[in-house]
Amino acid sequence: MNLDALLDHPAFAAEPPRDLDELARRAYAQLAVVNETVGGSTALLDDPQAMSAVLDWAAVVDPSLFAAAAIHYAVVLTSIKELGRPEETLGAAIASLDRLDAVGAILITEIGHGNNHISLRTQAVYEPETRTFRLRTPTPGARKLMASIALPGVAKIGTVYAELIVDGEPCGTFAFVVPLRDAAGLRPGVLVEPLRGTVPVALDYSVTSFDDVRVPYDHWLRDTASITPAGLFEDPLGSKDRRLVRSLALSAWASLAGAVGLASASRAAAAIALRYAATRSTMGRLSPNRPVLDYRTQQHALYGALSSAYAVTALVDKAIEAFLDKPWEVPPDETAITFSPWVAAHRTHALAKAAATELCAEITAECRRRSGAQGVLSINRIIAYEGLAQSYNSAGGDNLLILMDAGRSMAETLQPCEVPDSFTDSFTGPFMGDLADPEVRLGLLRVQEATLHTELAASVRQASEAGLSPFDAWNPHLSKAVELARVHQRRMVAEAFRALVAGRQDEAMATALAAAERLHGLRDLARDRAWLLERGVLSQAAALSVADLVEKAVDDLAVHAEALLDGLGLPERRLGAWFLPA
């Protein structure tokens, strides 16, 4: 599948428009070209690795194209495939999405109810006389926010999340497949207010409401639930929270799709910024006409970004491998929904998305800053990649809510992670070892995670035993829950990087990757020095030595920088950055 050949197609080769609506229109035109090339949407659903490759490519070429593709393939169609029970009418909608006669959209977030998705107010009222549903927006706060359906002339089919009402009783949150607009305009009862202004990723966002929109029975993505001919609602899951989690089965691919795009954007930003820094001359009086990459500050920032780009790639590749091993696995009923459903739906994938977002935001911001005025030009793409990271703080699940839920559920349902025997003395005295060894860094992360886990669990348990309400017991400790989840994320990254290096057969590339792993790990360790020093895990001398170890790691990576850049697999043509020549 040579997607780079599509760059010659007029949909990709033409000069980018300046108008926001036209940027969105171009993204949909590009998506149509991609969809035809891959043989239709269903073909990608049957080949998750191919879908991942398409999303990876799209994120580098244009984050707007990536966002449209991720929603269409990894959110809308995957949820229909997993949860739908197609009959005649839903089959027609799937065929339309497959041919891209209509583009998929997701409508879940509501203006008045934030990003938690656990208290949606949009209603789907079942009418037994017609065996259909009536989709309605009962209050202004129930209007759907950020659905990309505002652009005239582009047909859209949405998965709309709503509370199912049967015989006047709420029965849980489900998704419904709803044609929203066709070439002639909006469908009856669909009300759309375009959102104007600058956005990180250019699509046709809107505020949307529904006025008694009729939905056929088989457009209900009911999974194992049903309504009998007598009008009785039946759900073998037996719990509204379990149903919400199951209705969000899309979260597995939604999280992974986001992580794929963020890893791709991270690699692209690092490649663009490093290539530019190697040729950009500076007139500093210390040494006029010297490439800016010769300066130590630039090396720290950009080689650090390169090592982190490999780190996030390792994390995402491992997450995809785990998903392919057990696709659509229903997680055990061990995690109560507190702040949002994403961790209950799939803790590991949600945390991988959140970690990828944070790493991408850090990498792209640093690359933008280190590229000077050129870094803020959209034509050079770095700022577009940074915008993608900004959008994924909320897209695919709000990151802060994910971290709060993950830390809380870890403290309540899991035992602290195991600490290697060689590190157990770190609980009673300073650790003595080679801090540049990635295994040592991984061991220190385990020490930190186990300590935070034990302390958080004990604090909340004491508060509960004192008779405090769940809110009063947890509220003072939510920042600690976030800290625990973040350390767990970083352990996930370190373990994935270890596996990447260990699994590389090419000795020269394995050596280069090991240099990147050391630099990323030591930069990460430098941020933890205060905590490790305060807890007595590191001695003062060891903590002070980290700075010198980072300096050496920068030098070690510099030797392999070209090999690592080539290893990103990003041809200059695909990157398309156009830095103005000096």
Side-chain angles (χ1 to χ4, degrees), residues 89 96 121 149 348 375 410 465:
T89 56
S96 181
R121 295 293 185 265
I149 60 175
T348 302
M410 288 168 63
E465 290 172 352

Side-chain angles (χ1 to χ4, degrees), residues 268-285:
I272 290 169
L274 272 164
R275 296 294 190 199
Y276 178 47
T279 58
R280 174 187 174 197
S281 62
T282 174
M283 298 308 294
R285 294 296 189 263

Side-chain angles (χ1 to χ4, degrees), residues 199-393:
V199 290
V201 177
L203 287 179
D204 50 327
Y205 301 114
S206 69
V207 175
T208 307
S209 55
F210 303 96
D211 183 11
D212 289 338
V213 175
R214 294 286 176 174
V215 181
Y217 185 85
D218 75 324
H219 279 223
W220 171 30
L221 300 186
R222 60 187 181 89
D223 189 37
T224 55
S226 63
I227 301 173
T228 68
L232 179 65
F233 172 74
E234 297 179 342
D235 188 351
L237 291 184
S239 160
K240 288 185 180 179
D241 276 1
R242 289 292 290 161
R243 175 49 61 193
L244 173 59
V245 168
R246 182 59 183 151
S247 291
L248 290 169
L250 67 91
S251 70
W253 249 122
S255 295
L256 288 176
V260 166
L262 293 161
S264 303
S266 299
R267 295 193 299 272
I272 290 169
L274 272 164
R275 296 294 190 199
Y276 178 47
T279 58
R280 174 187 174 197
S281 62
T282 174
M283 298 308 294
R285 294 296 189 263
L286 290 177
S287 181
N289 291 315
R290 179 176 289 274
V292 71
L293 191 55
D294 285 357
Y295 281 82
R296 199 60 170 172
T297 50
Q298 205 80 351
Q299 291 174 350
H300 270 275
L302 295 184
Y303 289 154
L306 180 60
S307 69
S308 293
Y310 270 98
V312 68
T313 299
L315 172 69
V316 173
D317 286 350
K318 185 175 181 181
I320 292 173
E321 182 180 344
F323 175 80
L324 294 176
D325 183 50
K326 293 182 178 180
W328 306 115
E329 179 184 22
V330 179
D333 189 8
E334 63 178 19
T335 302
I337 295 174
T338 302
F339 303 107
S340 69
W342 305 108
V343 169
H346 208 297
R347 179 193 290 124
T348 302
H349 293 342
L351 282 173
K353 191 277 293 190
T357 304
E358 293 184 2
L359 283 166
C360 183
E362 177 184 303
I363 292 165
T364 53
E366 194 69 275
C367 290
R368 169 180 50 78
R369 286 191 292 265
R370 297 296 170 170
S371 298
Q374 300 255 24
V376 300
L377 297 177
S378 60
I379 199 168
N380 291 327
R381 294 197 184 173
I382 293 175
I383 200 166
Y385 300 141
E386 188 177 5
L388 187 66
Q390 292 171 354
S391 69
Y392 266 94
N393 274 304

Side-chain angles (χ1 to χ4, degrees), residues 408-486:
R408 180 204 56 77
S409 68
M410 288 168 63
E412 289 187 342
T413 66
L414 300 180
Q415 294 298 313
C417 66
E418 293 185 8
V419 177
D421 292 341
S422 58
F423 288 85
T424 53
D425 290 341
S426 298
F427 290 105
T428 57
F431 171 79
M432 304 297 293
D434 181 6
L435 297 180
D437 183 346
E439 289 289 352
V440 169
R441 175 60 188 143
L442 188 52
L444 291 175
L445 281 169
R446 286 182 167 272
V447 170
Q448 188 175 5
E449 182 181 332
T451 304
L452 289 170
H453 188 290
T454 301
E455 292 177 352
L456 177 60
S459 296
V460 176
R461 184 171 59 252
Q462 290 170 6
S464 298
E465 290 172 352
L468 296 181
S469 69
F471 176 82
D472 289 329
W474 269 104
N475 195 43
H477 304 295
L478 289 178
S479 60
K480 293 181 181 178
V482 171
E483 184 180 9
L484 170 60
R486 279 209 166 99

Side-chain angles (χ1 to χ4, degrees), residues 81-202:
K81 175 185 178 182
E82 180 65 10
L83 302 174
R85 300 295 178 263
E87 296 174 12
E88 183 178 354
T89 56
L90 183 56
I94 293 172
S96 181
L97 290 165
D98 178 53
R99 297 188 302 266
L100 216 75
D101 294 341
V103 181
I106 180 171
L107 295 88
I108 183 167
T109 303
E110 295 177 353
I111 287 180
H113 309 107
N115 282 353
N116 61 31
H117 306 321
I118 61 178
S119 184
L120 299 179
R121 295 293 185 265
T122 301
Q123 296 177 346
V125 181
Y126 178 66
E127 295 193 340
E129 298 82 6
T130 59
R131 202 161 171 77
T132 62
F133 303 92
R134 181 162 45 87
L135 193 64
R136 59 188 295 268
T137 303
T139 66
R143 290 175 296 167
K144 297 295 187 182
L145 178 66
M146 293 296 288
S148 49
I149 60 175
L151 189 64
V154 179
K156 298 289 178 69
I157 294 175
T159 47
V160 181
Y161 282 76
E163 179 79 17
L164 173 63
I165 307 295
V166 179
D167 196 21
E169 294 295 323
C171 298
T173 299
F174 290 87
F176 297 81
V177 178
V178 183
L180 300 167
R181 70 182 315 145
D182 52 29
L186 293 168
R187 301 294 291 268
V190 180
L191 309 174
V192 172
E193 307 167 51
L195 283 173
R196 300 300 181 189
T198 303
V199 290
V201 177

Side-chain angles (χ1 to χ4, degrees), residues 61-80:
V61 171
D62 186 343
S64 295
L65 168 61
F66 164 79
I71 293 168
H72 183 80
Y73 297 123
V75 176
V76 174
L77 275 164
T78 53
S79 60
I80 294 174

